[in-house]
Amino acid sequence: MLKEFRDFALKGNVIELAVAVVLGAAFGKIVSSLVDDILMPPLGLVLGGVDFRELFLDLSGGAYPTLAAAQAAGAPVIRYGLFLNALVAFVIVAFALFLVVRQINRFTAKPAAPTTRDCPYCLSAVPLKATRCAHCTAQLAA
């Protein structure tokens, strides 16, 4: 059983998956930083100096000026600004993955067009342009 586990763990697919998870986590941190530190501050400035991390909806009915004040008071809040940040990060990651998969699909070899067909009488392989089967001499339709 230990040998089977070792063989399983050292298969290429498992190692590739582990590398992909580690790279995905690192890429996620980069995208989070891109969204939080580079994209959202200018967007907030354009929209009137809004800090998206501070956007919240107070469910208790109190009038709290900031998210920190609402949390300090223990008021239940919906932090939709953080959701917007996560949504923008998701769109960026999804677009990046789309570009990667698109390039991989572009570089993968497409299957070659068939060069032969089967004779309907003897089922032997016959070139596509042949008008007569070389094995049974049957007349073939074009």
Side-chain angles (χ1 to χ4, degrees):
M1 186 160 108
L2 187 59
K3 182 183 179 308
E4 284 181 90
F5 177 72
R6 184 192 64 187
D7 291 343
F8 169 75
L10 295 179
K11 275 187 182 176
N13 293 345
V14 174
I15 292 171
E16 290 171 4
L17 181 61
V19 169
V21 167
V22 171
L23 286 176
F27 184 68
K29 289 180 182 178
I30 290 171
V31 169
S32 291
S33 177
L34 173 71
V35 170
D36 294 339
D37 303 329
I38 296 176
L39 293 179
M40 288 305 193
L43 186 62
L45 183 64
V46 168
L47 295 176
V50 175
D51 182 7
F52 283 91
R53 288 177 290 213
E54 289 293 319
L55 296 177
F56 69 99
L57 179 64
D58 181 21
L59 298 177
S60 67
Y64 299 103
T66 65
L67 177 62
Q71 288 177 329
V77 294
I78 296 176
R79 297 166 46 172
Y80 67 91
L82 292 177
F83 175 75
L84 291 175
N85 282 355
L87 187 64
V88 170
F90 170 77
V91 169
I92 290 171
V93 169
F95 184 70
L97 287 176
F98 165 74
L99 292 177
V100 168
V101 169
R102 184 173 170 216
Q103 287 302 323
I104 289 172
N105 289 340
R106 186 177 290 170
F107 292 131
T108 56
K110 294 184 171 82
T115 58
T116 62
R117 60 184 169 155
D118 289 339
C119 172
Y121 303 103
C122 68
L123 300 179
S124 298
V126 180
L128 286 176
K129 294 182 180 180
T131 57
R132 192 173 286 278
C133 177
H135 302 282
C136 69
T137 68
Q139 188 74 27
L140 302 175

